[in-house]
Amino acid sequence: MNDVVIPSRNHTGSVHAAGVSIKDLRKSYGSNEVLKGISLDVAPGEVVCLIGPSGSGKSTLLRCVNLLEQPNEGTIHVGGFEATDLDVDIDKMRRKVGMVFQQFNLFPHLNALRNCTVAQTKVLKRSQAEADNVAQANLDRVGLGHLADRFPDQLSGGQQQRVAIARALSMDPELMLFDEPTSALDPETVGDVLSVMRNLAKEGMTMLVVTHEMGFAREVADRVVFMDGGVVVEEGVAEHVISSPTQGRTKEFLKRVLDPTHIEIAE
Amino acid sequence: MAMTARQRAKVSLYIQAGIFVVAVAALILATDWKTVGNSVFNFGKIGPMFPGIILVGLKNTLIYTALAFVVGLSGGLLLALMKLSTFPLYRWIATGYIEFFRGVPALLVFIAFGYGVPLAFGVSWDVNIVVMVSLGMVASAYIAETLRAGLQAVPKGQMEAARSLGMPMWRAMVTIVIPQAFRIVLPPLTNEVILLTKDSSLIYVLGLTASQYELTKFGRDGISSLGAGLTPLLVAGAFYLVITIPLSLLARKFESRSARTKR
């Protein structure tokens, strides 16, 4: 869509990207072990897509990185923080980690601009004027500067998700987590959200993306990680993993995703 | 010729309306209008109730209700948060409190606070304080349950989004979750105010002085002094409607608004 015009990084300055280092991460719900010892490194500025069937643990892994889920074992380092250190200042760490949800989770009682300013003023203690400027710049960045005074229920799903991205960017994060950002969208609005994410990747943001958009993963991701049953089955350069997977489970999954008519039992 | 289903339904409605009209007519005919007129609709003798019923009765009812609502709302919010706490002791205290004060008649709570507490601690309370504390404590039990439902109706993702932006738990509650919860419970909360308005009539048990009379006590006082039978109570009742009907309309407005915006 032509309202998505993303200026290069000069709006908020260059991105200061952080890396992620995950070692032997385990997470169970009761007796159900969802993550069975995951290790994953993401370099600063790298874009990694997590793919895999539902229930494979990829969303849980993502949510462990900013401690929305508490891992049982293993370590996670994010930038200068050790997330799994019991003494870590969670709130301080989360300011550096932007999160984008499948269901957007915009604040329905605040308009788009206030969605982007509320944490700036309350958490970062920025002045309202400064927060407004940052928010407006980030709404412009996702192509929605002209809708700043709209409330979430006056926006389409794709627009809401782009506001949610602007909201996260307004905190000047060093890492962005995306949890199936396009799965709840009408097909015709998916492209706008993906192009915002593509530009973010170009600007050098570290991104960890749980997605089913194989085209996006192939084009934008530096690396693709295929998970199944709580373990990393295969990982590597996006083009290689998607076009010529080596593991049986990866092949089976990709066949189903890339050619959905072959699915015998709908999920 | 047999009727269609739609015709039968129509006839059935006419029959129901007919029964209703006959019942009302029978009641009107059976009423001893002369006696009732003297003791309930005797509006000729109620002149002395004005303007006192407005300047004292209505005013005090509004004041007592407002004071109790302030206590009930803050207490109710605290209890609701306690009930949703992960710390079991808080949940137990809140549950015990709510069950107790919802379970006993407000009248008994007034007596306990109006007579029991002053005896126990050797203090004498201003009537405003007694009303505020006792009616407020009863109200907070009801409001707590309403607010708890509202807080739980806010999607979990709201808290997660707020925390992901680096907000501490309390900040996310105050800035993101509680405002949305209030929006959701505005209609039932308005109903709580209506109930509270009527419950404030029970404070007559505290032995009020004339300047402390609320609407009901003012009406009861009129029964003994005006010789107009129960008419003063009827007038007092009408003034309750002056308060509660606008509140009902307000609640309905909130309801239709939230239905429209689906928030």
Side-chain angles (χ1 to χ4, degrees):
Chain A
M1 239 167 83
N2 56 7
D3 67 340
V4 185
V5 180
I6 290 125
S8 51
R9 60 183 66 183
N10 52 9
H11 263 298
T12 50
S14 62
V15 171
H16 185 279
V20 182
S21 176
I22 301 168
K23 288 206 170 49
D24 301 321
L25 197 74
R26 290 177 181 275
K27 169 72 183 171
S28 322
Y29 298 102
S31 60
N32 178 23
E33 192 169 37
V34 184
L35 299 178
K36 299 171 181 167
I38 302 264
S39 294
L40 177 68
D41 285 299
V42 183
E46 197 181 13
V47 178
V48 174
C49 281
L50 293 170
I51 63 171
S54 61
S56 58
K58 50 196 194 313
S59 281
T60 308
L61 175 64
L62 195 76
R63 289 163 58 87
C64 280
V65 173
N66 73 345
L67 293 179
L68 285 180
E69 304 288 346
Q70 196 67 45
N72 299 105
E73 276 178 54
T75 58
I76 304 174
H77 284 85
V78 178
F81 292 91
E82 182 181 348
T84 38
D85 179 359
L86 292 178
D87 239 6
V88 73
D89 186 338
I90 295 184
D91 298 322
K92 205 169 165 191
M93 185 194 88
R94 282 174 172 155
R95 289 178 213 167
K96 301 286 178 198
V97 182
M99 176 90 176
V100 175
F101 299 86
Q102 182 177 355
Q103 298 295 339
F104 332 134
N105 294 351
L106 288 181
F107 306 133
H109 60 305
L110 303 175
N111 66 21
L113 190 75
R114 287 286 164 270
N115 262 279
C116 298
T117 60
V118 61
Q120 291 188 64
T121 54
K122 304 293 187 192
V123 175
L124 300 179
K125 306 296 177 198
R126 287 178 181 159
S127 71
Q128 190 64 53
E130 187 192 358
D132 285 351
N133 284 337
V134 174
Q136 190 61 52
N138 280 305
L139 286 170
D140 289 341
R141 198 172 169 188
V142 300
L144 294 175
H146 59 297
L147 300 179
D149 57 350
R150 294 274 185 93
F151 282 84
D153 64 356
Q154 298 169 318
L155 298 169
S156 74
Q159 291 171 332
Q160 287 189 54
Q161 192 61 298
R162 285 188 279 156
V163 172
I165 294 172
R167 175 175 72 177
L169 292 176
S170 295
M171 301 296 283
D172 298 330
E174 298 175 3
L175 159 70
M176 287 286 285
L177 307 174
F178 294 84
D179 189 1
E180 301 199 23
T182 58
S183 297
L185 297 179
D186 291 331
E188 74 270 22
T189 66
V190 168
D192 297 338
V193 172
L194 291 182
S195 81
V196 166
M197 292 169 63
R198 187 180 297 119
N199 281 284
L200 201 54
K202 276 187 203 148
E203 290 173 34
M205 177 66 78
T206 315
M207 293 164 65
L208 195 50
V209 185
V210 173
T211 187
H212 293 297
E213 300 287 342
M214 292 305 142
F216 175 82
R218 195 198 309 243
E219 180 205 329
V220 179
D222 297 304
R223 218 149 33 97
V224 164
V225 175
F226 174 71
M227 285 178 67
D228 191 15
V231 295
V232 172
V233 175
E234 181 166 0
E235 64 170 296
V237 177
E239 183 62 35
H240 289 179
V241 174
I242 294 172
S243 304
S244 45
T246 59
Q247 301 295 316
R249 277 193 277 177
T250 319
K251 287 178 187 165
E252 180 65 17
F253 172 75
L254 286 168
K255 199 177 86 186
R256 289 174 179 231
V257 172
L258 297 174
D259 190 2
T261 49
H262 276 178
I263 295 176
E264 288 125 42
I265 305 155
E267 277 183 291
Chain B
M1 201 172 130
M3 288 188 292
T4 64
R6 203 168 293 178
Q7 283 170 328
R8 278 199 301 277
K10 218 172 191 177
V11 168
S12 158
L13 283 180
Y14 285 138
I15 293 173
Q16 288 172 39
I19 293 172
F20 178 74
V21 169
V22 169
V24 170
L27 275 177
I28 289 173
L29 291 174
T31 304
D32 179 354
W33 285 106
K34 202 164 155 33
T35 317
V36 168
N38 279 337
S39 60
V40 180
F41 298 119
N42 198 343
F43 294 112
K45 290 188 182 167
I46 58 158
M49 288 182 78
F50 293 88
I53 191 159
I54 294 170
L55 297 183
V56 178
L58 186 66
K59 187 196 80 179
N60 281 333
T61 291
L62 287 173
I63 288 176
Y64 297 152
T65 306
L67 288 177
F69 185 64
V70 169
V71 173
L73 197 60
S74 24
L77 183 58
L78 186 68
L79 286 165
L81 292 173
M82 283 171 76
K83 198 153 184 193
L84 294 175
S85 163
T86 49
F87 186 46
L89 181 66
Y90 286 161
R91 288 203 304 274
W92 295 335
I93 293 175
T95 307
Y97 180 99
I98 291 168
E99 291 306 325
F100 181 81
F101 281 98
R102 282 203 308 180
V104 299
L107 194 66
L108 298 191
V109 179
F110 287 146
I111 293 172
F113 277 93
Y115 300 104
V117 174
L119 280 180
F121 299 102
V123 290
S124 66
W125 288 3
D126 180 72
V127 67
N128 280 335
I129 306 246
V130 179
V131 175
M132 199 162 102
V133 172
S134 49
L135 193 52
M137 285 182 84
V138 175
S140 61
Y142 285 95
I143 291 175
E145 281 297 279
T146 306
L147 287 180
R148 181 192 55 77
L151 288 168
Q152 284 182 316
V154 176
K156 215 171 131 237
Q158 292 292 311
M159 179 54 96
E160 288 186 348
R163 297 303 306 272
S164 295
L165 289 165
M167 291 189 195
M169 180 70 148
W170 67 269
R171 166 56 71 191
M173 268 288 170
V174 169
T175 310
I176 304 300
V177 178
I178 291 177
Q180 294 183 54
F182 267 107
R183 213 168 264 241
I184 293 167
V185 301
L186 223 39
L189 208 55
T190 317
N191 288 329
E192 301 287 354
V193 182
I194 292 174
L195 291 177
L196 212 53
T197 308
K198 296 185 297 173
D199 277 352
S200 71
S201 68
L202 296 171
I203 62 161
Y204 72 88
V205 294
L206 296 177
L208 304 173
T209 63
S211 66
Q212 297 167 339
Y213 285 1
E214 39 67 60
L215 280 173
T216 302
K217 181 67 183 159
F218 200 93
R220 288 158 63 97
D221 194 53
I223 296 175
S224 49
S225 61
L226 295 179
L230 298 173
T231 313
L233 270 192
L234 194 76
V235 176
F239 274 99
Y240 278 102
L241 295 180
V242 168
I243 302 174
T244 56
I245 288 177
L247 283 174
S248 277
L249 293 175
L250 199 63
R252 205 171 304 165
K253 204 172 164 189
F254 289 143
E255 259 167 35
S256 60
R257 185 191 295 173
S258 61
R260 196 169 60 240
T261 61
K262 277 192 246 163
R263 271 189 230 148

